Amino acid sequence: MTGEDRCGNAIPAGATDELRIARAALTRLLEPGSVLGATAVRVWGASRAVQILTGRDTPGADERQDLRLALASEGVTLTERTWTTSLAGWAARASSLAPERDLASLGRMGGGLLIPEDPEWPSAVDDLGPAAPVALWFRGVGPLSHESSTLAVVGSRDATGYGQSVTRTLAGGLAARGVTVMSGGAYGIDAMAHRAALTSGTGTPPTVAVMAGGLDRYYPAGHEDLLREVAAQGLLLSELPPGASPTRHRFLQRNRIIAALSAAVLVVEARWRSGAQNTAGHALGLGREVGVVPGPVTSPQSAGCHRLLRESPAVVVSDVEEALALMPSGGDTEHATGDRRAARLGPGSRGESGPGGSNSTATSGLSSGAPSTARPHDHLTVEELLVYEALPLRNAAPVDKLCAVAGLGPGTVMGTLKKLQRQSLAEQRESGWRRSAAKEGSQRHGQQGLR
């Protein structure tokens, strides 16, 4: 059995196995959306990238130049400081790599790892450019449907009765027409979209849940039964290897995968600042259509929907036919083609982040000016958010452990901890660092906005 490379050349089965192991290692080494890491993989190949990024070998002069030119073509300048700090971050995770174990673990659960060298690889994620995933873990019956027959349905976790009812009608109607309904497995709108698709779906698969952590455990825990059913009838996907924990940064990066794998995104309910708006921003940046279900002007759960209609090219959707009209094929899954419109400029188009990625603040993508309450972490840069998310809530952790969790080098982590300490977001104890107790209450309250 053979696979094919990106040029259509045959790859022997043994070579494909080697590539799968290398890419499995990379999913644990690189944080989702790492532009520098993913570009290194594209330029040097997966196996060579593992050798260099883990510090087992150093790149030659020609290899460094090839990487610089590839990044420059994407508008990214590779500085010596960026390279050094990124290497330090990857080195912190190098000792934890066990790709064969990860593959065997998910294999026992009926899953595996999909890599770009596989014929089944979804080419739609290539629209993410240098922030495209290096591989996708899966669990379920599959196969992964073409994006032209997939529509994402996303929305608020604290959905109202109105939002639940509309989602049931729209997602169920779409699924009954053979459309694969994609969402994020969260509470509220996501859960109703999956349930409606499982009940009414005729597509293959009827629904796909894209997760922000490893697929060896179901998250949120309250959705274990639902996610088991999705895996039994549909598909679970993730960039993260078994055992990886979901974080805010990973939730935001997960949203770009949902947008890329769908022909269009439908937002049913969304607060002023929300993960659903982040997904819509990625979709607009990728040239996908975005539909929005309007709600009562008095409902906070619809404030983000109205904001999208006011500030973006999103269109109103009120029934199944209007939702189908968002898709290039008009919902004709039998004759759907892979044609995608040219990408429009818009927020969240590439989701660049992580070591070697963007250092912009980790927000949802639309202009600010929100009437909602700001959360303590809203202003943080990507590096700061990675360190903040790595901090334990109770028992303090040493710096080396924080480095491994955040995927950043000791120098970067220590500097970031001092910044967080000055902002009362982190505190130092004898045994290490933890989140500031003064911020824990507001932090838990602020978790509402991201999915």
Side-chain angles (χ1 to χ4, degrees):
M1 181 178 178
T2 62
E4 290 184 350
D5 63 18
R6 309 314 297 273
C7 299
N9 302 312
I11 301 175
T16 303
D17 293 342
E18 180 184 340
L19 287 170
R20 201 174 311 279
I21 291 171
R23 288 187 178 272
L26 288 163
T27 64
R28 189 172 295 280
L29 186 68
L30 304 177
E31 197 64 27
S34 170
V35 172
L36 175 53
T39 303
V41 175
R42 177 167 56 86
V43 172
W44 297 332
S47 299
R48 179 61 176 156
V50 170
Q51 292 178 330
I52 295 174
L53 301 186
T54 57
R56 296 205 299 263
D57 199 0
T58 56
D62 289 344
E63 290 175 317
R64 288 287 293 270
Q65 181 65 8
D66 290 343
L67 180 60
R68 284 196 184 94
L69 292 174
L71 288 167
S73 70
E74 300 291 346
V76 179
T77 300
L78 178 60
T79 65
E80 191 61 34
R81 181 179 182 278
T82 297
W83 178 248
T84 302
T85 56
S86 296
L87 276 180
W90 294 322
R93 288 182 173 173
S95 62
S96 66
L97 301 185
E100 294 93 343
R101 181 195 63 194
D102 290 338
L103 289 165
S105 173
L106 209 58
R108 288 192 295 269
M109 300 175 188
L113 184 67
L114 195 61
I115 62 175
E117 292 78 14
D118 289 325
E120 302 85 2
W121 178 256
S123 60
V125 296
D126 295 340
D127 290 353
L128 292 167
V134 297
L136 288 171
W137 295 91
F138 67 89
R139 183 175 177 182
V141 297
L144 183 61
S145 58
H146 196 279
E147 83 278 3
S148 61
S149 60
T150 301
L151 192 143
V153 180
V154 297
S156 180
R157 293 194 306 170
D158 59 334
T160 66
Y162 163 78
Q164 298 271 13
S165 176
V166 171
T167 302
R168 184 187 300 110
T169 299
L170 293 179
L174 290 164
R177 299 280 285 269
V179 173
T180 295
V181 175
M182 181 171 288
S183 199
Y187 292 115
I189 299 301
D190 287 23
M192 180 54 71
H194 291 307
R195 290 191 177 102
L198 289 169
T199 300
S200 307
T202 61
T204 305
T207 189
V208 176
V210 184
M211 314 306 291
L215 300 182
D216 55 323
R217 51 184 171 175
Y218 298 106
Y219 184 90
H223 276 175
E224 179 173 347
D225 290 343
L226 171 61
L227 295 174
R228 282 187 184 277
E229 192 61 29
V230 172
Q233 296 188 44
L235 203 60
L236 301 177
L237 289 178
S238 178
E239 287 182 88
L240 282 303
S245 300
T247 64
R248 281 178 192 78
H249 172 73
R250 290 171 178 177
F251 277 120
L252 291 171
Q253 291 301 316
R254 179 274 308 270
N255 293 340
R256 84 193 197 287
I257 302 296
I258 294 177
L261 288 175
S262 304
V265 171
L266 176 61
V267 182
V268 179
E269 283 188 319
R271 287 181 175 268
W272 186 268
R273 305 181 71 161
S274 65
Q277 285 197 84
N278 178 262
T279 306
H282 283 298
L284 291 168
L286 293 170
R288 311 302 199 253
E289 294 293 339
V290 173
V292 173
V293 175
V297 296
T298 55
S299 173
Q301 283 87 342
S302 291
C305 293
H306 302 152
R307 181 185 179 192
L308 278 167
L309 290 170
R310 184 170 58 252
E311 298 181 8
S312 78
V315 299
V316 171
V317 170
S318 60
D319 58 32
V320 173
E321 294 302 324
E322 290 177 352
L324 288 170
L326 297 172
M327 306 175 72
S329 62
D332 183 1
T333 58
E334 190 172 336
H335 301 95
T337 66
D339 295 337
R340 295 190 294 279
R341 287 147 291 191
R344 294 191 294 259
L345 291 178
S349 59
R350 294 208 165 168
E352 299 172 358
S353 61
S358 169
N359 199 37
S360 62
T361 54
T363 55
S364 64
L366 294 176
S367 63
S368 58
S372 58
T373 303
R375 295 163 300 206
H377 59 273
D378 282 344
H379 64 286
L380 298 181
T381 66
V382 170
E383 282 186 352
E384 290 166 352
L385 185 60
L386 287 169
V387 175
Y388 179 70
E389 286 291 338
L391 289 169
L393 288 172
R394 295 178 178 82
N395 298 324
V399 171
D400 60 343
K401 183 175 181 181
L402 296 177
C403 290
V405 174
L408 299 170
T412 301
V413 169
M414 277 304 304
T416 303
L417 285 170
K418 294 297 184 182
K419 291 180 184 178
L420 295 175
Q421 186 180 41
R422 288 195 294 270
Q423 300 172 58
S424 299
L425 292 173
E427 59 186 32
Q428 189 173 17
R429 299 292 182 91
E430 288 186 9
S431 57
W433 291 80
R434 52 160 280 174
R435 293 190 197 180
S436 173
K439 293 291 184 179
E440 284 185 22
S442 59
Q443 159 60 28
R444 293 193 195 99
H445 179 74
Q447 287 179 351
Q448 182 64 47
L450 295 181
R451 298 165 37 254

